[in-house]
């Protein structure tokens, strides 16, 4: 970027009213072009729709419109090729493009700004940008979910220890665990769709804050830009960034989910646990300890979650002290927003690959872990309840059996029938089938349960987007 401001200190649009050039440090402090130039496509798209509307309304001549269209096409080419000279002297993406347009086509470039202000221009650009970003994120999220579904399907029967308080609690299938991740991200996807709907309204026409005196057609511009309608109050339209905050809140939740998955991956990949292997391309070694292979991607996803939370806090704080209408504070909305988008996109991309092809499930280690910790103790209690014992008594009986087994260094299924019957005469030889892992899994056969059959049904439902659980067609 051209940051040499010394020779061009008086090129501001507002130079007419100022008696001295803006201080050089102030110039750098107030400029946003270094980061808002990423919205150049949206800026040009919105300017062209505005220009078409002005021409249609007879506010701009047909020649001016065609000059603007020609100039904008050239500018887009220059930006794409890297030839465009961004300058701090023109503060932001909007003025940089407008100045270049005027240099290319003369007065028609100056007429483009009729009936609008940078306040409604920037609000429009951010909404377009965020809408585009959400469209990309939704596709990536869907790809990640497809990877989850494939993994869940492969491992629908694989038993693993389900944990509470990080201790072995009951057997679950790995597929069921993966489908829990799927459910988290399903809500994330729903949130994004809802937020997109609120973003998709047009601020243009609000001008600086009060609207404009020209006979504009806002509905036309809205339709041209694919908005569902117009923002209904000019003061609100130019000033509030609640839609960006809402997006960051959804992003924070999404990252929270990825951070939880990451925590589990770190745990499972630990050689002491060994439930999964993460492919080498997602790991790095240690510069000093040759034996180390670190789960970098999940660790960094966990770390980047903090960064996304920070952006949410930044935007909330940015907004809270602002009176109506536009204040320059709002320019600070972009870096947190852009970084949130970037972090989300990278995380989703990497995780889709890691979960899709980068995880090897170590089913034997999972089963091994399940053979300790009395994972089927609840099944024994349920067995006694089926034989007539009240659940609280059954719980106590099994508690005593577990303590005894612990003393003997055995699992419940490892105790002889005579030993088990000492705790309750209700226990018969058929008890061993319910003490097995497969028996325990298959018994939880209802919607939301861990039985392999239910995992497969959940996967089938998930593969038909928009088709929520319907009791009519599930057992
Ligand atoms: N670059 C500004 C922003 O990002 C838009 C310009 C509005 N500036 C102004 N002084 N009214 O918010």
């Amino acid at each position: 970027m051209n940051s040499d401001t010394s020779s061009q200190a008086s090129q501001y649009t507002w130079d007419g009213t100022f008696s001295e050039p803006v201080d050089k440090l102030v110039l750098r402090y107030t400029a946003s072009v270094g980061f808002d130039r990423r919205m150049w496509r949206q800026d040009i798209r919105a300017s062209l729709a505005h220009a078409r509307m002005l021409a249609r309304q007879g506010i701009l001549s047909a020649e001016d419109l065609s000059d603007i269209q020609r100039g904008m096409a050239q500018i887009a080419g220059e930006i794409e090729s890297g030839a465009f000279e961004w300058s701090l002297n023109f503060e932001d993406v909007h003025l940089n493009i407008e100045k270049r347009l005027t240099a290319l086509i003369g007065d028609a470039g100056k007429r483009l700004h009729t009936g609008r202000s940078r306040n409604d221009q920037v609000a429009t650009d951010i909404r377009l940008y965020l809408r585009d970003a959400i469209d990309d994120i939704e596709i990536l999220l869907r790809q990640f979910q497809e990877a989850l579904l494939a993994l869940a399907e492969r491992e629908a029967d694989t038993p693993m220890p389900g944990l509470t308080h990080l201790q072995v609690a009951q057997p679950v299938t790995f597929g069921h665990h993966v489908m829990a991740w799927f459910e988290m991200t399903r809500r994330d996807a729903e949130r994004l769709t809802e937020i997109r709907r609120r973003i998709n309204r047009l601020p243009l026409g609000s001008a600086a804050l009060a609207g404009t005196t020209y006979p504009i057609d806002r509905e036309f511009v809205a339709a041209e830009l694919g908005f569902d309608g117009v923002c209904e109050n000019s003061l609100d339209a130019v000033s509030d960034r609640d839609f960006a905050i809402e997006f960051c809140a959804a992003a924070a939740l999404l990252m929270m989910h990825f951070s939880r998955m990451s925590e589990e991956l770190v745990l499972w990949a630990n050689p002491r646990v060994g439930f999964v292997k993460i492919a080498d391309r997602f790991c790095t070694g240690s510069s000093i300890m040759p034996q180390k292979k670190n789960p970098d991607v999940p660790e960094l996803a966990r770390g980047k979650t903090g960064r996304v939370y920070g952006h949410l806090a930044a935007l909330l704080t940015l907004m809270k002290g602002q009176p109506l209408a536009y204040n320059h504070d709002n320019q600070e909305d972009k870096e947190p927003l852009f970084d949130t988008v970037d972090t989300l996109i990278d995380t989703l991309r990497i995780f889709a690959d890691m979960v899709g092809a980068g995880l090897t499930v170590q089913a034997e280690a999972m089963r091994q872990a399940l053979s300790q910790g009395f994972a089927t103790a609840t099944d024994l209690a349920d067995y006694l309840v089926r034989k007539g014992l009240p659940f609280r008594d059954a719980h106590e009986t099994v508690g005593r059996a577990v303590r005894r087994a612990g003393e003997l260094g055995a699992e419940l299924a490892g105790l002889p029938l005579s030993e088990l019957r000492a705790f309750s005469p209700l226990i018969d030889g058929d008890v061993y089938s319910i003490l097995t892992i497969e028996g325990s899994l298959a018994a939880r056969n209802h919607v939301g349960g861990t039985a392999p059959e239910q995992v497969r049904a959940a996967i089938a439902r998930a593969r038909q987007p928009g088709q929520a659980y319907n009791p009519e067609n599930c057992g």
Side-chain angles (χ1 to χ4, degrees):
M1 190 187 332
N2 174 9
S3 55
D4 173 21
T5 53
S6 52
S7 56
Q8 324 177 22
S10 62
Q11 304 200 3
Y12 282 112
T13 0
W14 46 84
D15 270 351
T17 43
F18 281 46
S19 59
E20 62 171 358
V22 168
D23 180 88
K24 268 208 273 184
L25 177 57
V26 171
L27 203 60
R28 182 160 67 71
Y29 194 75
T30 54
S32 57
V33 62
F35 47 86
D36 67 14
R37 57 200 257 201
R38 94 149 66 185
M39 302 191 302
W40 68 266
R41 279 198 177 79
Q42 288 81 11
D43 196 67
I44 291 179
R45 212 195 303 165
S47 284
L48 288 174
H50 177 69
R52 284 195 296 277
M53 181 276 290
L54 291 179
R56 247 178 127 242
Q57 298 298 101
I59 304 166
L60 209 63
S61 72
E63 301 86 86
D64 281 350
L65 172 61
S66 97
D67 285 350
I68 288 170
Q69 287 169 327
R70 180 173 47 81
M72 285 301 198
Q74 178 170 340
I75 290 171
E78 289 174 3
I79 298 176
E80 241 152 24
S81 73
F84 191 89
E85 268 200 42
W86 298 99
S87 169
L88 273 189
N89 284 307
F90 311 134
E91 199 174 288
D92 54 25
V93 60
H94 324 293
L95 288 180
N96 267 266
I97 289 177
E98 190 189 313
K99 288 288 174 188
R100 179 68 185 141
L101 186 67
T102 304
L104 287 173
I105 66 167
D107 282 355
K110 297 183 187 166
R111 282 189 204 109
L112 171 62
H113 211 52
T114 310
R116 85 174 176 186
S117 143
R118 275 186 305 153
N119 296 354
D120 59 347
Q121 191 178 354
V122 68
T124 302
D125 289 2
I126 308 171
R127 283 175 185 258
L128 286 173
Y129 169 83
L130 202 47
R131 193 181 75 186
D132 292 347
I134 288 177
D135 290 345
D136 290 344
I137 290 167
E138 282 181 334
I139 290 169
L140 293 171
L141 187 52
R142 191 67 214 161
Q143 285 167 357
F144 171 73
Q145 289 178 322
E146 271 154 22
L148 284 183
L149 294 176
L151 179 63
E153 192 164 48
R154 277 201 302 280
E155 309 294 340
D157 298 282
T158 310
M160 73 179 294
L163 311 180
T164 59
H165 314 279
L166 214 56
Q167 299 167 31
V168 174
Q170 290 174 352
V172 295
T173 55
F174 188 62
H176 193 53
H177 194 113
V178 171
M179 287 307 287
W181 290 357
F182 179 87
E183 286 298 319
M184 300 175 189
T185 62
R186 194 213 296 265
R187 293 189 296 277
D188 289 324
E190 282 173 10
R191 269 187 281 274
L192 287 172
T193 305
E194 284 159 18
I195 290 166
R196 188 193 189 282
R197 187 170 54 77
R198 276 187 289 278
I199 290 173
N200 207 25
R201 302 211 146 251
L202 175 78
L204 271 180
S206 304
L209 75 164
T212 178
T213 55
Y214 299 93
I216 56 170
D217 181 350
R218 298 186 67 204
E219 261 76 22
F220 173 81
V221 180
E224 290 283 287
L225 292 174
F227 285 110
D228 297 328
V230 300
C231 297
E232 291 193 29
N233 180 290
S234 61
L235 296 166
D236 172 52
V238 292
S239 65
D240 207 342
R241 297 291 181 263
D242 62 349
F243 62 89
I245 298 176
E246 219 183 345
F247 171 78
C248 285
L253 285 169
L254 188 148
M255 287 302 293
M256 179 269 286
H257 286 148
F258 276 77
S259 186
R260 294 186 64 199
M261 294 175 213
S262 296
E263 173 64 13
E264 295 188 317
L265 289 170
V266 169
L267 184 73
W268 296 343
N270 185 301
R272 289 219 168 210
V273 177
F275 287 0
V276 299
K277 281 205 160 82
I278 301 176
D280 284 359
R281 64 180 179 283
F282 302 104
C283 304
T284 64
S286 154
S287 56
I288 176 167
M289 297 165 285
Q291 84 282 16
K292 295 297 283 293
K293 193 198 283 179
N294 302 325
D296 297 88
V297 164
E299 286 179 3
L300 277 163
R302 223 168 42 187
K304 286 174 193 287
T305 301
R307 165 189 183 130
V308 169
Y309 287 6
H311 295 327
L312 171 62
L315 291 194
L316 283 166
T317 314
L318 172 73
M319 204 72 242
K320 77 178 273 292
Q322 288 193 49
L324 288 171
Y326 179 88
N327 304 279
H328 217 164
D329 312 37
N330 274 343
Q331 182 165 288
E332 290 290 312
D333 63 355
K334 288 173 202 64
E335 285 165 294
L337 190 61
F338 294 162
D339 190 69
T340 300
V341 168
D342 292 345
T343 306
L344 238 53
I345 285 178
D346 285 351
T347 305
L348 287 169
R349 276 214 182 105
I350 296 179
F351 269 67
D353 183 22
M354 191 168 65
V355 162
L359 277 192
T360 315
V361 175
Q362 308 286 96
E364 220 12 75
M366 290 185 182
R367 185 176 285 276
Q368 186 60 32
L370 253 183
S371 69
Q372 300 147 18
F374 311 104
T376 54
T378 318
D379 297 84
L380 180 55
D382 291 343
Y383 169 91
L384 291 170
V385 168
R386 280 196 298 276
K387 299 229 168 179
L389 207 60
F391 183 79
R392 282 293 161 223
D393 295 339
H395 184 281
E396 192 191 323
T397 303
V398 177
R400 279 187 276 119
V402 162
R403 201 159 85 204
R404 179 70 185 138
E407 284 160 15
L408 296 172
E411 281 296 304
L412 289 174
L415 297 180
L417 187 56
S418 56
E419 190 87 46
L420 285 171
R421 281 182 68 86
F423 298 103
S424 168
L426 294 171
I427 298 177
D428 291 312
D430 61 349
V431 74
Y432 290 104
S433 66
I434 65 103
L435 290 179
T436 63
I437 290 166
E438 270 68 21
S440 169
L441 290 172
R444 287 165 170 77
N445 194 12
H446 54 78
V447 165
T450 192
E453 193 185 326
Q454 292 298 332
V455 174
R456 292 206 173 81
I459 295 168
R461 289 195 300 273
R463 287 210 163 115
Q464 299 164 1
Q467 180 133 355
Y469 162 61
N470 173 2
E472 303 277 282
N473 47 31
C474 309

